[in-house]
Amino acid sequence: MQLSKTPPSSNGSNGHGLPPILPIAMDQPLHWLALGFKDFAKAPLLSTLHGLVLALAGSLIAWVAHDRFWLLAGGLSGFMVIAPVLATSLYAMSRAIERGEKVNLQLLIRTWTQWQLRFRKQPDSYWCLIRFGLLLALAATGWVITSSALITLFAPVPIHTPMDFIRHVVLAENNFLFEIWLGLGGVMAAPVFASSVISMPLLLDRKVSVLQAVLTSWKAVLTHPLPMALWAFLIMGFTLLGFMSLFLGLILIVPMLGHGSWHAYRQMVNVSDLEERMSGQGDW
């Protein structure tokens, strides 16, 4: 699939319209995983580097907060919410592979520095990915505060350590606090997923505002609720596998999901009328 060179129209970053959402099959998320793995195989060293960085970050969080439940919960919640931002260079790699361009360390450096270097030429788009990342961080903070209030109010004893949580919340008899906690987490995670699943690769690829990217992401989810629910389930399931493997599994899982997210965006959103934000050679 090649990116269109069609000139931007009124649906571009200066307009109020949203790009069309393309039809997809119910099992399309499985195809995204397969494409993500293919991209991983085409650039294994740099892809593995992303997974390694996040695996080390997760291990550091667990080591620092292993005996402090709320610090651990907050750290891992923030880790999961900010991960799409940190995967930005994985999207850039998949785009370069799609275009037949070189995938190297210079591509990663350009991806993370051109936002700042081109500030004077494009001030309206400066750090839009970072701004969106801050919004995700606020969402993670809101979840931790809400979760803490729920457990503090209804747990039979104060919860200080992960073992306290397992004994008195997860394994408690005649107490539905854990089920309520999971349900609340799902309710709060759903809008975060809907807001971010398409936004990050779209912000990298096209000159749109954060609001346009978020609304496009919601439009994609509402247009294809069942396939996107499957995609959310796959992301959560693989992420939990990564955590259960003492974060070692994230070395493979993170790049596979990151590359797969690029293909989810490309196969669902028609961006032919939106102006490109960056050329393959880093010209912002």
Side-chain angles (χ1 to χ4, degrees), residues 54-224:
L54 288 179
L56 291 174
S59 300
L60 180 61
I61 292 171
W63 177 70
V64 171
H66 69 280
D67 59 346
R68 289 172 281 185
F69 175 72
W70 294 116
L71 182 59
L72 180 63
L76 293 181
S77 297
F79 176 90
M80 294 184 65
V81 171
I82 299 301
V85 180
L86 300 179
T88 297
S89 42
L90 287 170
Y91 312 145
M93 289 170 60
S94 285
R95 186 168 84 160
I97 291 171
E98 180 181 290
R99 292 174 165 183
E101 297 169 351
K102 291 183 179 181
V103 177
N104 50 33
L105 186 59
Q106 285 71 27
L107 172 65
L108 305 190
I109 295 173
R110 286 199 307 267
T111 300
W112 287 109
T113 59
Q114 291 290 350
W115 298 97
Q116 183 174 5
L117 295 178
R118 298 293 180 178
F119 170 56
R120 293 182 179 179
K121 292 185 178 181
Q122 295 179 4
D124 292 339
S125 66
Y126 178 60
W127 288 116
C128 64
L129 282 168
I130 302 303
R131 289 199 298 269
F132 186 66
L134 293 176
L135 292 177
L136 293 179
L138 289 176
T141 302
W143 158 244
V144 172
I145 293 174
T146 304
S147 173
S148 175
L150 176 71
I151 300 299
T152 301
L153 287 174
F154 296 104
V157 299
I159 304 298
H160 298 297
T161 68
M163 288 307 301
D164 290 340
F165 181 78
I166 293 174
R167 292 194 191 100
H168 303 296
V169 177
V170 179
L171 300 179
E173 296 182 1
N174 302 319
N175 187 340
F176 295 100
L177 181 57
F178 181 59
E179 288 77 7
I180 295 172
W181 182 78
L182 286 178
L184 178 63
V187 168
M188 297 189 70
V192 173
F193 171 80
S195 298
S196 61
V197 62
I198 296 300
S199 299
M200 300 310 300
L202 177 55
L203 283 170
L204 170 78
D205 190 40
R206 300 286 157 159
K207 292 181 180 179
V208 297
S209 67
V210 171
L211 178 60
Q212 282 180 293
V214 170
L215 291 178
T216 301
S217 190
W218 271 91
K219 183 179 179 182
V221 171
L222 294 176
T223 303
H224 301 298

Side-chain angles (χ1 to χ4, degrees), residues 4-75:
S4 171
K5 300 299 183 181
T6 304
S9 72
S10 60
N11 280 345
S13 60
N14 295 325
H16 299 287
L18 300 178
I21 303 300
L22 303 171
I24 61 171
M26 176 64 199
D27 62 350
Q28 202 73 14
L30 299 176
H31 184 55
W32 298 337
L33 282 180
L35 291 174
F37 188 79
K38 286 183 179 180
D39 284 356
F40 175 89
K42 291 177 180 177
L45 293 180
L46 291 179
S47 295
T48 300
L49 177 63
H50 288 78
L52 182 61
V53 168
L54 288 179
L56 291 174
S59 300
L60 180 61
I61 292 171
W63 177 70
V64 171
H66 69 280
D67 59 346
R68 289 172 281 185
F69 175 72
W70 294 116
L71 182 59
L72 180 63

